[in-house]
């Protein structure tokens, strides 16, 4: 299927896409303000986790309801449905591969849905902090 945008329009559209979403930025800022130290979007870790603490073998992904096709809020766009179904299926398969990769290596992996953060921001932050603290305690045992 031919692109409906001109090359210039497509270029501007693609330039507007940021590697870190606003939601990830808000979450990481709050975690940083609460004293946690971590790295964001670590390129040398599989899947470029949104938050990573190598010392405690912790990776955290904040999954978008759209791109990861959340069962509650995810929807398949009305146009080009075959493309989107295949895209979302590949995303789910990739997420599963990444989960298994870290679990096989003994890492602690947490996936947070976008809607969890939006519905209860402080609860989601507390969940992340508790997850990291649990991993830290296991490392020190």
């Amino acid at each position: 299927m031919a692109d409906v945008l001109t090359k210039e329009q497509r270029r501007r559209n693609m330039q507007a896409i940021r590697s870190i979403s606003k939601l990830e930025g808000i979450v990481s800022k709050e975690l940083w303000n609460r004293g946690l130290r971590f790295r964001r979007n670590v390129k040398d870790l599989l899947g470029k986790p949104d938050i990573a603490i190598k010392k405690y073998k912790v990776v955290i992904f904040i999954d978008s309801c759209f791109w990861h096709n959340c069962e509650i809020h995810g929807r398949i766009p009305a146009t080009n449905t075959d493309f989107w179904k295949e895209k979302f299926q590949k995303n789910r398969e990739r997420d599963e591969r990444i989960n298994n990769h870290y679990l096989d290596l003994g890492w602690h992996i947490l996936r947070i849905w976008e809607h969890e953060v939006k519905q209860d921001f402080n609860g989601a932050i507390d969940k992340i902090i508790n997850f990291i603290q649990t991993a830290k305690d296991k490392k020190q045992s």
Side-chain angles (χ1 to χ4, degrees):
M1 180 176 166
D3 199 346
V4 295
L5 300 177
T6 67
K7 284 187 177 186
E8 180 60 25
Q9 289 171 324
R10 177 63 58 206
R11 185 181 70 78
R12 280 197 312 260
N13 181 278
M14 296 306 286
Q15 283 180 328
I17 298 171
R18 299 287 166 231
S19 65
I20 298 174
S21 73
K22 288 181 184 178
L23 189 61
E24 291 169 26
I26 292 167
V27 168
S28 60
K29 183 177 180 180
E30 180 62 25
L31 292 172
W32 196 266
N33 288 341
R34 291 197 190 186
L36 288 172
R37 298 299 175 251
F38 52 86
R39 295 288 171 250
R40 289 176 17 176
N41 299 98
V42 181
K43 292 179 179 149
D44 64 339
L45 292 176
L46 184 65
K48 249 174 61 172
D50 299 313
I51 296 169
I53 307 174
K54 290 181 181 180
K55 180 178 181 179
Y56 304 126
K57 292 187 169 185
V58 167
V59 290
I60 299 169
F61 294 90
I62 302 170
D63 290 340
S64 157
C65 289
F66 177 76
W67 290 108
H68 296 267
N69 202 239
C70 162
E71 291 182 11
I72 299 169
H73 302 102
R75 65 172 188 78
I76 297 174
T79 58
N80 208 4
T81 55
D82 291 338
F83 166 81
W84 287 109
K85 286 179 183 177
E86 184 178 335
K87 172 69 175 161
F88 292 148
Q89 181 61 34
K90 286 180 182 177
N91 287 355
R92 282 191 295 275
E93 290 169 1
R94 185 193 64 231
D95 290 345
E96 189 64 30
R97 261 192 330 274
I98 290 169
N99 290 350
N100 291 334
H101 170 80
Y102 285 112
L103 293 173
D104 290 346
L105 294 175
W107 283 61
H108 308 276
I109 181 169
L110 176 65
R111 287 191 176 271
I112 299 275
W113 283 106
E114 169 188 15
H115 69 260
E116 289 181 78
V117 176
K118 288 182 175 180
Q119 288 173 352
D120 183 7
F121 181 76
N122 288 322
I125 296 296
D126 290 341
K127 181 178 179 178
I128 293 170
I129 290 171
N130 291 336
F131 178 78
I132 293 170
Q133 187 60 48
T134 301
K136 184 178 177 182
D137 292 344
K138 286 180 182 178
K139 175 79 173 173
Q140 294 173 348
S141 299

